[in-house]
């Protein structure tokens, strides 16, 4: 399986198709703001003028016919419903056999490993067994050392990160020895295991509160084993299009890794998050003065909070941002609010009514996203 999931790309395609269709309608509904006003007012009335992530936001959808008159068929084609019809197929898509096979393989691979508290306990057990091995080795008790070594091997195969690191090492060794068939086998196995690791499956859009700047959106991609978070919306210090932070996700068992031990949680926190510890990874966070001057990189940490949230900490300044997935509605709202920044830079915004420029801008965003995914798929993910 490819390391780059198709779901974020499909998600971004849907958003861009929606925005492009919205722009096309702006010619018929002048000014541009009137086309979006129904969606905008419903969002503002329910949530207020500030942005926040709520369960209601995640589950809500403005593509419904709640405001239409069922007795009058023509009233069902309101602008919002029209957008719904144009952007999404009404027919239930047929299950792709290749996708079904891929999902089965993913499920089978995941069953080989343990996660959460089981993984933390497994690693603790392995650590204790290795300490015993050292004691027996110093005492010259070779039989006990050999027995413990075999027991440790049986436990290690349940750790997905360790096995991914092993696939990494075996791939490099096979390539060095010019054993192409073996290298391909180890490489493909590494991809299957990598897909089971939560920190390699958070690509796409996320929203977090950047202090006084308010909520901002980032797009997470991968370059090999490096996570890259690029700003989709920015601020006066670090503008959109710039990298907010990166994280080194190389397996903790790899010789070049600077892996960090998990964060141990209190009993109350463990009950809240359903785990005894939080996995974390070393990274670099960008800082800059207003106007994006004196930009510099500082030490940071990416902290996984389950499989649905994560945070990034700029360690030297003690600043941390918690990230969650945005709903499609919140995504569009934030893109619209970003128009003020576009105006300041001399570009057309959704408010100006420059339809052609807006269309070209959104198309360029989609092309850039596709290029990122194409490059990642073509790249060697073990380098």
């Amino acid at each position: 399986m490819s390391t780059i999931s198709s779901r974020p790309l499909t998600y971004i395609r849907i958003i861009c198709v929606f925005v492009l269709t919205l722009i096309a309608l702006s010619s018929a509904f002048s000014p541009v703001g009137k086309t979006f006003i129904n969606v905008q007012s419903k969002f503002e009335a329910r949530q207020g003028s500030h942005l926040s992530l709520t369960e209601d936001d995640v589950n809500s959808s403005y593509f419904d016919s709640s405001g239409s008159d069922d007795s009058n068929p023509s009233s069902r084609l309101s602008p919002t419903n029209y957008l719904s019809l144009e952007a999404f197929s009404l027919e239930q898509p047929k299950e792709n056999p290749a996708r079904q096979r891929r999902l089965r393989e993913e499920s089978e691979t995941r069953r080989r490993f343990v996660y959460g508290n089981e993984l933390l306990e497994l690693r603790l057990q392995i650590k204790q067994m290795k300490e015993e091995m050292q004691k027996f080795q110093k005492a010259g008790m070779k039989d006990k050392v050999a027995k413990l070594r075999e027991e440790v091997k049986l436990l290690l195969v349940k750790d997905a990160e360790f096995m991914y690191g092993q696939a990494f090492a075996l791939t490099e060794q096979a390539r060095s020895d010019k054993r192409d068939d073996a290298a391909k086998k180890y490489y493909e196995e590494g991809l299957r295991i990598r897909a089971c690791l939560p920190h390699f499956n958070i690509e796409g859009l996320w929203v977090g509160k950047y202090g006084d700047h308010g909520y901002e959106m980032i797009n997470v991609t991968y370059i090999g084993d490096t996570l890259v978070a690029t700003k989709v919306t920015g601020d006066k210090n670090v503008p959109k299009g710039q990298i907010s932070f990166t994280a080194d996700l190389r397996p903790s068992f790899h010789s070049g890794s600077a892996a960090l031990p998990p964060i141990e949680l209190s009993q109350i926190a463990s009950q809240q998050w359903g785990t005894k510890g939080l996995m974390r990874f070393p990274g670099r966070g960008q800082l800059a003065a207003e106007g994006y001057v004196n930009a510099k990189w500082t030490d940071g940490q990416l902290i996984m909070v389950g499989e649905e949230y994560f945070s990034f900490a700029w360690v030297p300044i003690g600043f941390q941002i918690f990230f969650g997935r945005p709903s499609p509605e919140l995504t569009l709202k934030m893109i619209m609010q970003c128009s003020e920044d576009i105006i300041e830079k001399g570009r057309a915004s959704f408010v100006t009514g420059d339809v052609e420029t807006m269309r070209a801008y959104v198309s360029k965003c989609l092309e850039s996203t596709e290029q990122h995914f194409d490059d990642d798929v073509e790249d060697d993910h073990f380098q």
Side-chain angles (χ1 to χ4, degrees):
M1 174 188 170
S2 172
T3 58
I4 302 300
S5 170
S6 62
R7 288 175 294 178
L9 180 56
T10 301
Y11 176 72
I12 296 174
R13 282 180 185 276
I14 291 174
I15 293 174
C16 289
V17 169
F18 174 67
V19 174
L20 287 169
T21 309
L22 181 63
I23 293 169
L25 282 174
S26 63
S27 300
F29 299 90
S30 180
V32 175
K34 289 184 178 180
T35 307
F36 193 74
I37 194 65
N38 292 334
V39 176
Q40 179 81 352
S41 61
K42 289 173 75 174
F43 191 98
E44 292 290 349
R46 180 175 57 78
Q47 184 158 325
S49 59
H50 66 285
L51 297 177
S52 62
L53 289 171
T54 67
E55 184 177 353
D56 193 26
D57 287 334
V58 175
N59 297 328
S60 65
S61 172
Y62 293 107
F63 299 122
D64 57 43
S65 57
S66 58
S68 66
D69 181 5
D70 292 337
S71 62
N72 183 1
S74 63
S75 67
R76 296 175 188 171
L77 285 178
S78 63
T80 50
N81 282 330
Y82 175 76
L83 292 174
S84 171
L85 291 171
E86 287 293 305
F88 304 97
S89 172
L90 297 180
E91 296 181 1
Q92 187 69 20
K94 296 180 181 179
E95 278 293 339
N96 188 320
R99 181 174 182 275
Q100 289 181 327
R101 183 173 61 256
R102 175 175 60 80
L103 291 175
R104 284 197 300 270
E105 290 178 355
E106 284 185 11
S107 179
E108 291 171 1
T109 304
R110 283 189 65 87
R111 284 198 292 268
R112 291 163 46 188
F113 307 113
V114 295
Y115 303 90
N117 288 334
E118 286 187 74
L119 177 59
L120 294 174
E121 292 171 0
L122 176 76
R123 290 182 175 179
L124 178 60
Q125 183 180 357
I126 291 172
K127 180 181 178 182
Q128 293 171 345
M129 292 173 71
K130 286 183 175 181
E131 290 173 352
E132 287 185 30
M133 284 174 57
Q134 292 178 348
K135 293 178 181 179
F136 291 145
Q137 198 163 9
K138 289 180 179 180
M141 305 171 71
K142 296 182 179 180
D143 291 343
K144 288 191 175 182
V145 170
K147 182 180 178 182
L148 273 177
R149 182 177 290 113
E150 292 303 314
E151 292 177 358
V152 168
K153 287 181 180 179
L154 292 176
L155 294 178
L156 283 172
V157 296
K158 297 180 181 180
D159 189 328
E161 189 176 11
F162 173 80
M163 295 305 292
Y164 174 60
Q166 286 295 100
F168 177 102
L170 291 171
T171 299
E172 292 301 305
Q173 185 60 51
R175 286 175 176 168
S176 177
D177 297 339
K178 307 298 183 182
R179 294 182 292 117
D180 294 339
D181 290 343
K184 181 180 178 181
K185 181 184 70 173
Y186 294 135
Y187 175 77
E188 292 176 347
E189 175 65 8
L191 296 185
R192 285 191 289 269
I193 298 173
R194 175 177 168 136
C196 300
L197 295 169
H199 47 281
F200 281 116
N201 287 280
I202 58 174
E203 61 272 326
L205 302 176
W206 296 82
V207 169
K209 189 173 183 180
Y210 279 69
D212 294 336
H213 293 302
Y215 289 94
E216 296 184 27
M217 184 180 295
I218 61 170
N219 183 39
V220 172
T221 55
Y222 296 95
I223 300 177
D225 288 339
T226 300
L227 179 148
V228 180
T230 305
K231 285 196 172 186
V232 177
T233 62
D235 51 58
K236 294 179 180 179
N237 295 73
V238 180
K240 72 173 186 174
Q242 299 298 326
I243 295 175
S244 181
F245 57 85
T246 64
D248 181 0
L249 304 183
R250 282 177 295 177
S252 59
F253 302 93
H254 188 262
S255 58
S257 172
L260 302 169
I263 298 174
E264 296 184 8
L265 299 180
S266 64
Q267 185 175 358
I268 296 176
S270 297
Q271 292 174 351
Q272 179 182 357
W273 295 109
T275 180
K276 295 179 180 178
L278 302 178
M279 298 297 181
R280 55 177 172 164
F281 303 87
R284 302 283 286 172
Q286 187 170 197
L287 297 172
E290 187 171 327
Y292 194 48
V293 295
N294 299 324
K296 63 179 181 179
W297 293 88
T298 185
D299 291 338
Q301 293 182 13
L302 177 78
I303 304 166
M304 296 297 300
V305 186
E307 297 187 13
E308 298 180 359
Y309 305 94
F310 70 88
S311 69
F312 188 84
W314 283 255
V315 176
I317 62 174
F319 183 67
Q320 184 172 214
I321 298 176
F322 186 86
F323 291 93
R325 288 287 192 189
S327 67
E329 293 77 28
L330 181 58
T331 300
L332 288 171
K333 181 179 176 66
M334 294 186 73
I335 291 175
M336 293 293 287
Q337 290 187 335
C338 183
S339 61
E340 181 180 351
D341 179 59
I342 298 174
I343 293 174
E344 291 176 356
K345 293 181 179 179
R347 300 183 215 161
S349 74
F350 289 105
V351 182
T352 66
D354 188 343
V355 175
E356 291 303 322
T357 305
M358 289 188 288
R359 182 182 290 111
Y361 180 73
V362 175
S363 298
K364 184 178 179 181
C365 290
L366 177 58
E367 290 170 4
S368 298
T369 301
E370 288 178 328
Q371 186 61 47
H372 274 300
F373 277 91
D374 291 341
D375 291 344
D376 287 339
V377 170
E378 291 173 2
D379 284 345
D380 186 337
H381 298 288
F382 287 111
Q383 292 183 348

